[in-house]
C-alpha cells in the first residue's frame, strides 16, 4: 500500500466516476452496489505504518480527519474540515494522515443501502473530488484507525499508554456539566435517547443510554455526560494509537480532546506538536486551494520559513520548564519570532517605499519615473548644460534611493518570515476582492 492510496479513490477511478452526479447514476445499478460492498469488505481493519519516513507528517485527529466522526457528514461541513485541516498544518507539514471513508463505515452504510445511506456515501465522494480539484490529493495519506470501542476503552488506553486520558473521567464530567445543556431526552424501550450541546462541541451530541435502575428510570445528567466522555475518550485513545503506530505526532483539533491531552501529556512536546499549535490569523477563512497554491508558488521561501520554525521550536523546547505544553511553545514562537519579524518586514518596506515615492515626486514626473526604472542601465554619466546638471543630480539622488529600495526588498526576500508575510499579502488581497 502506497502512502496516498485511498481505497475509495481507487474504486471511483476504476469505474470512470468523475463527480458526485456520475457516482449517483452508477449506484442505481444494484450490481454496482454489490461490487462496492465487496471492495470495502475485502479491506482488513489494520493501521499500516508509513512507507516514507523522511517527510514531516502529522496525524489528523477526529473532527478534521475527514471521517465525519465527532463532526458533520454534510459535504459543505466536510469540505470546511478540509480547509480547517490545511489552515492548521499548511505552514509546516509535508503530509497529513486522514481517514476519509473508512471501509468499515462503508460496509455499515451498504448493509441496508437506503436513500439516506446513498447521500451519506456521496458526501464522501464529493469531498474526495473537492480534494482532487484543489490539488491536495498528494498531501493526504489515508489510513484506518483502531476501533474506538467504549467497551474495551481501559484495555486500549493501557495498550497505547493513554490511561492519563480516562483517569480524568470524574473531573471532566464535573467541569463539562457547568456549561452543558440537555436539550432532549426521550425514552425508547429499555434506553433513553439524548441530545446535548456544549460550547466545546462543534455540533450537538446525540446518543443513547440504558435506562437507570431496576424500574428503568430517567438517567441523570452525570450518567449522560459520562456517556459522552466515554465516546470522546474512545475516539481520542484511537487517535493516540494511530499516532503511535505511524510514529507521527497527533494534531488534536477537538476542543475536548485538546483539553484532555493538556492534562494527560504523553511526554515532552515535540517540534511537530508545537508547530501544529501555532495560531496564524492570516490563515483564518482562507480556502485550502489558495494555501496550497501559495506554498507551491513560493516553495523556496517556504523552505526557509519552515527551517526557521523548526529551529525556534527546538530552542524553545530545550529551554522550556518542566511541564510546558505544546501550546505554550507555540505562543512563544508567535510572540518572540513570528510577529516581531513580520513587523520588521512591514516597517522596512514601508520606509523604503515612502522615501522612494517622495524623491520621485520631487525630482521627476510620474511618466519619467517609470521610464527611468526601465532604462537604468542607459543613463549617461555626463550631460551638457546647467539644466541637465540639475536633472542629472536629481536623477542620481533618485537612483541611490531606488538602489536602496531594491536592496531592502532583496533583504526582505532573504528573511525567514518573508513567506508568511507574502501569504498574508496574497490572502488580504483576495479577501478584499470578495468583500
Amino acid at each position: 500500500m502506497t502512502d496516498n492510496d485511498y481505497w475509495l479513490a481507487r474504486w471511483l477511478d476504476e469505474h470512470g466516476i468523475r463527480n458526485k452526479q456520475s457516482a449517483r447514476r452508477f449506484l442505481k445499478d444494484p450490481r454496482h452496489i454489490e461490487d462496492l460492498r465487496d471492495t470495502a469488505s475485502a479491506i482488513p481493519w489494520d493501521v499500516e505504518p508509513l512507507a516514507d519516513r523522511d517527510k514531516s507528517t502529522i496525524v489528523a485527529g477526529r473532527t478534521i480527519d475527514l471521517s465525519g466522526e465527532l463532526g458533520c457528514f454534510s459535504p459543505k461541513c466536510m469540505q470546511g474540515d478540509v480547509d480547517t485541516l490545511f489552515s492548521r498544518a499548511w505552514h509546516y507539514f509535508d503530509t497529513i494522515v486522514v481517514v476519509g471513508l473508512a471501509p468499515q463505515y462503508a460496509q455499515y452504510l451498504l448493509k441496508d443501502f437506503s436513500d439516506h445511506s446513498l447521500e451519506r456515501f456521496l458526501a464522501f465522494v464529493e469531498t474526495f473530488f473537492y480534494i482532487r480539484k484543489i490539488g491536495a490529493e498528494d498531501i493526504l495519506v489515508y489510513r484506518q484507525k483502531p476501533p474506538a470501542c467504549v467497551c474495551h476503552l481501559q484495555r486500549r488506553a493501557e495498550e497505547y499508554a493513554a490511561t492519563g486520558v480516562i483517569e480524568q473521567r470524574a473531573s471532566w464530567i464535573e467541569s463539562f456539566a457547568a456549561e452543558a445543556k440537555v436539550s432532549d431526552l426521550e425514552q425508547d424501550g429499555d434506553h433513553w435517547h439524548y441530545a446535548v450541546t456544549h460550547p466545546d462541541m462543534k455540533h450537538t451530541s446525540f446518543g443513547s443510554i440504558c435506562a437507570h435502575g431496576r424500574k428503568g428510570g430517567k438517567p441523570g445528567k452525570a450518567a449522560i455526560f459520562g456517556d459522552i466522555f466515554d465516546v470522546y475518550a474512545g475516539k481520542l485513545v484511537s487517535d493516540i494509537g494511530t499516532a503511535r503506530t505511524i510514529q507521527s505526532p497527533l494534531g488534536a483539533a477537538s476542543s475536548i480532546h485538546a483539553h484532555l491531552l493538556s492534562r494527560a501529556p504523553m511526554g515532552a512536546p515535540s517540534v511537530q506538536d508545537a508547530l501544529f499549535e501555532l495560531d496564524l490569523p492570516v490563515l483564518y477563512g482562507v480556502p485550502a486551494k489558495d494555501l496550497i497554491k501559495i506554498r507551491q508558488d513560493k516553495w523556496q521561501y517556504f523552505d526557509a520559513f519552515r527551517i526557521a520554525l523548526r529551529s525556534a521550536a527546538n530552542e524553545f523546547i530545550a529551554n522550556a520548564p518542566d511541564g510546558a505544553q505544546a501550546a505554550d511553545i507555540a505562543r512563544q514562537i508567535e510572540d518572540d519570532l513570528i510577529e516581531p519579524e513580520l513587523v520588521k518586514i512591514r516597517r522596512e518596506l514601508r520606509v523604503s517605499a515612502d522615501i522612494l515615492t517622495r524623491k520621485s515626486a520631487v525630482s521627476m514626473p510620474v511618466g519619467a519615473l517609470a521610464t527611468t526604472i526601465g532604462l537604468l542601465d542607459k543613463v549617461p554619466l555626463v550631460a551638457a548644460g546647467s539644466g541637465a546638471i540639475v536633472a542629472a543630480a536629481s536623477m542620481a539622488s533618485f537612483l541611490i534611493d531606488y538602489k536602496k529600495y531594491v536592496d531592502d526588498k532583496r533583504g526582505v526576500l532573504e528573511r525567514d518570515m518573508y513567506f508568511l508575510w507574502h501569504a498574508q499579502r496574497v490572502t488580504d488581497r483576495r479577501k478584499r476582492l470578495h468583500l
Side-chain angles (χ1 to χ4, degrees), residues 16-327:
I17 298 171
R18 294 291 175 262
N19 51 49
K20 175 182 175 180
Q21 291 71 27
S22 61
R24 185 187 297 277
R25 290 192 297 270
F26 189 78
L27 290 173
K28 286 183 177 180
D29 188 331
R31 294 173 299 175
H32 296 158
I33 297 174
E34 188 63 31
D35 173 69
L36 177 60
R37 186 182 292 117
D38 291 342
T39 299
S41 60
I43 302 172
W45 197 332
D46 189 26
V47 184
E48 297 189 34
L50 298 180
D52 189 347
R53 297 292 307 146
D54 293 331
K55 293 182 178 180
S56 179
T57 302
I58 192 160
V59 176
R62 292 318 204 281
T63 72
I64 58 170
D65 65 359
L66 311 185
S67 68
E69 294 185 60
L70 300 183
C72 174
F73 290 98
S74 80
K76 183 177 180 180
C77 285
M78 293 180 76
Q79 290 173 31
D81 290 342
V82 174
D83 292 340
T84 299
L85 177 61
F86 277 90
S87 72
R88 296 291 301 272
W90 161 91
H91 57 277
Y92 185 78
F93 298 95
D94 294 313
T95 52
I96 310 166
V97 176
V98 297
V99 176
L101 177 58
Q104 293 73 27
Y105 187 61
Q107 292 176 58
Y108 166 78
L109 292 177
L110 295 164
K111 187 176 181 181
D112 297 304
F113 202 58
S114 62
D115 290 342
H116 172 76
S117 300
L118 173 63
E119 295 307 318
R120 181 65 58 85
F121 174 78
L122 291 176
F124 286 97
V125 172
E126 187 173 346
T127 301
F128 167 72
F129 283 118
Y130 173 73
I131 290 167
R132 178 170 284 181
K133 179 182 178 181
I134 66 176
E137 197 171 358
D138 291 337
I139 300 174
L140 300 181
V141 174
Y142 290 87
R143 286 293 186 272
Q144 299 182 69
K145 291 183 175 181
C149 179
V150 172
C151 296
H152 301 100
L153 181 55
Q154 179 69 39
R155 180 169 64 82
R156 290 286 183 183
E158 292 172 355
E159 180 181 354
Y160 300 130
T163 54
V165 170
I166 61 175
E167 288 169 357
Q168 300 176 59
R169 193 176 193 274
S171 61
W172 183 89
I173 291 172
E174 183 179 354
S175 174
F176 184 81
E179 295 185 85
K181 293 182 179 179
V182 180
S183 57
D184 191 22
L185 187 61
E186 182 178 344
Q187 188 171 14
D188 182 10
D190 62 350
H191 60 277
W192 291 74
H193 295 283
Y194 64 77
V196 174
T197 58
H198 189 280
D200 284 347
M201 297 191 303
K202 188 176 180 180
H203 301 280
T204 301
S205 179
F206 297 97
S208 62
I209 187 171
C210 292
H212 183 68
R214 294 180 180 178
K215 298 181 179 180
K218 183 185 296 187
K221 287 184 177 182
I224 295 172
F225 299 156
D227 190 63
I228 292 174
F229 173 87
D230 293 341
V231 170
Y232 271 83
K235 305 292 188 189
L236 178 54
V237 169
S238 170
D239 285 347
I240 293 171
T242 306
R244 293 198 185 284
T245 302
I246 292 177
Q247 297 181 359
S248 294
L250 170 64
S254 160
S255 296
I256 291 176
H257 284 175
H259 174 93
L260 292 171
L261 284 173
S262 70
R263 287 158 177 75
M266 303 292 129
S270 68
V271 168
Q272 293 93 333
D273 292 332
L275 296 181
F276 181 79
E277 293 293 333
L278 283 180
D279 185 18
L280 302 175
V282 59
L283 307 182
Y284 292 172
V286 181
K289 180 179 181 180
D290 292 344
L291 295 176
I292 292 168
K293 188 174 189 311
I294 292 170
R295 207 167 102 165
Q296 290 172 341
D297 291 347
K298 298 292 181 181
W299 61 269
Q300 68 273 44
Y301 304 117
F302 170 71
D303 285 344
F305 172 68
R306 185 161 62 170
I307 290 170
L309 290 181
R310 185 188 305 127
S311 176
N314 274 318
E315 179 182 347
F316 287 131
I317 289 172
N319 296 310
D322 292 341
Q325 302 292 310

